[in-house]
Amino acid sequence: MKKIIIPIIAVIMLILSSVLCACTNSNVNIENTNWQLQVAIRANIENQESEIIARNNAWATEDTNIPVVDVVLVAKDGNITISDTANTNNSFVGNYNKVDVIGIETVIYKVTVNELSGNINVSLTKHNDGSKIKTLILTLLKEDIQYTLNFISEN
């Protein structure tokens, strides 16, 4: 009897662990979210220098020369659009697909935008007060230049 019960318990535990590992918080995804840019950073990988190239109005900085922009990211059905709401002619389009789920609060996507490729990390950021906000970090590479755009959820 023990010889039968142990394999059955092992199979049940394996099934439960694989189901639990495959689950993500349904709120943590790239779609059905209004993403607002917080800050955009350009980094030169070769000489390890970086600079903030754009920010939203709420991003606190002492450098008032950094352009303030109103950029949104919309993702739906594998397509992504990044638009400057003040200049509708200034938008970028691409596509994405899910490649990994880490725990219950992080999803990784592969993305291509205007012939640049990179990754998107969608996650929950926990604040000191215990509150959580959905965040999206988009990283794109162009030769030795890396662009990192940090977005937060508006909803």
Side-chain angles (χ1 to χ4, degrees):
M1 184 71 154
K2 281 186 179 180
K3 290 182 180 180
I4 295 174
I5 293 177
I6 292 173
I8 291 173
I9 292 174
V11 168
I12 290 171
M13 289 178 60
L14 180 63
I15 291 170
L16 286 175
S17 66
S18 65
V19 167
L20 291 175
C21 290
C23 294
T24 60
N25 184 330
S26 62
N27 292 330
V28 180
N29 61 55
I30 195 170
E31 295 185 349
N32 303 318
T33 302
N34 296 321
W35 296 107
Q36 180 70 43
L37 179 76
Q38 281 189 305
V39 64
I41 301 168
R42 178 177 51 221
N44 186 314
I45 297 169
E46 187 175 313
N47 63 17
Q48 299 181 349
E49 293 180 357
S50 64
E51 65 178 323
I52 297 174
I53 56 174
R55 63 184 177 92
N56 74 4
N57 202 24
W59 186 262
T61 182
E62 293 178 15
D63 186 352
T64 57
N65 294 323
I66 299 170
V68 175
V69 296
D70 186 16
V71 173
V72 295
L73 182 147
V74 176
K76 185 169 179 153
D77 299 329
N79 297 310
I80 188 170
T81 304
I82 303 167
S83 304
D84 183 344
T85 59
N87 181 0
T88 55
N89 293 328
N90 194 13
S91 65
F92 305 92
V93 295
N95 55 60
Y96 66 91
N97 58 19
K98 187 189 302 187
V99 294
D100 201 4
V101 175
I102 302 170
I104 61 168
E105 295 183 345
T106 303
V107 181
I108 308 293
Y109 299 87
K110 261 315 210 194
V111 64
T112 303
V113 176
N114 284 22
E115 300 179 15
L116 301 176
S117 61
N119 295 305
I120 291 176
N121 179 338
V122 177
S123 187
L124 289 178
T125 298
K126 298 174 189 172
H127 295 280
N128 290 338
D129 65 2
S131 65
K132 296 179 182 180
I133 188 167
K134 280 176 53 173
T135 57
L136 181 150
I137 300 174
L138 168 62
T139 304
L140 297 169
L141 294 172
K142 181 179 182 180
E143 299 169 8
D144 285 343
I145 304 298
Q146 175 179 302
Y147 297 94
T148 303
L149 288 79
N150 295 345
F151 292 85
I152 59 170
S153 170
E154 288 186 335
N155 53 345

